[in-house]
Amino acid sequence: MTHDLESFVGEHKHDVFGEVSISLQQDGEGLYMNLWTLEGKLEHYHFDSFAASLEDFGVKFAEGSVTFVSGESGDVAGLMVEFDGDAVEFEEKKEPSDNSEKTEKDRAEDIEV
């Protein structure tokens, strides 16, 4: 792996497919994925790629892969989910900055002397 497991943890989004959540397994030794009602463990197999076996309400649903994508800074910037030969890229879901909720007037007050 080119990153430690914690760096893969986070929320990712796609305009059509919604959000996918990556978390540490309870034992801290691997990753876990949630997409809609699908969930399952991710097993590392090559660099930043993981085998995924997803279940839907406890019933095996699909097997595929998840490959994490690095951005210009080298940090994880998204992931590629592939099942049955179809791949979909999810972007990292960014938290809004404190300034995003401020109005123009609020920002002007912040810089007033």
Side-chain angles (χ1 to χ4, degrees):
M1 281 182 279
T2 62
H3 300 277
D4 59 9
L5 285 177
E6 288 85 16
S7 65
F8 297 120
V9 171
E11 304 288 323
H12 303 270
K13 66 181 174 112
H14 185 274
D15 291 339
V16 175
F17 295 101
E19 295 181 8
V20 61
S21 175
I22 305 295
S23 58
L24 283 175
Q25 292 178 15
Q26 288 182 350
D27 61 9
E29 297 294 318
L31 297 174
Y32 198 79
M33 177 179 166
N34 287 86
L35 173 64
W36 308 313
T37 60
L38 305 176
E39 58 186 12
K41 292 181 180 180
L42 300 181
E43 301 292 332
H44 180 255
Y45 73 88
H46 190 263
F47 292 113
D48 293 339
S49 295
F50 295 77
S53 181
L54 300 182
E55 296 180 351
D56 190 19
F57 298 105
V59 177
K60 187 174 179 179
F61 182 80
E63 290 188 3
S65 66
V66 174
T67 300
F68 290 88
V69 179
S70 296
E72 291 177 13
S73 67
D75 295 333
V76 174
L79 56 87
M80 183 78 66
V81 177
E82 185 173 343
F83 289 97
D84 296 326
D86 295 321
V88 177
E89 188 166 354
F90 288 76
E91 301 177 337
E92 182 181 30
K93 186 177 174 184
K94 305 279 188 208
E95 294 296 321
S97 68
D98 291 337
N99 287 338
S100 65
E101 305 264 339
K102 291 185 177 184
T103 65
E104 199 171 309
K105 181 181 174 190
D106 292 333
R107 285 191 215 97
E109 289 174 356
D110 287 345
I111 59 173
E112 267 184 29
V113 180

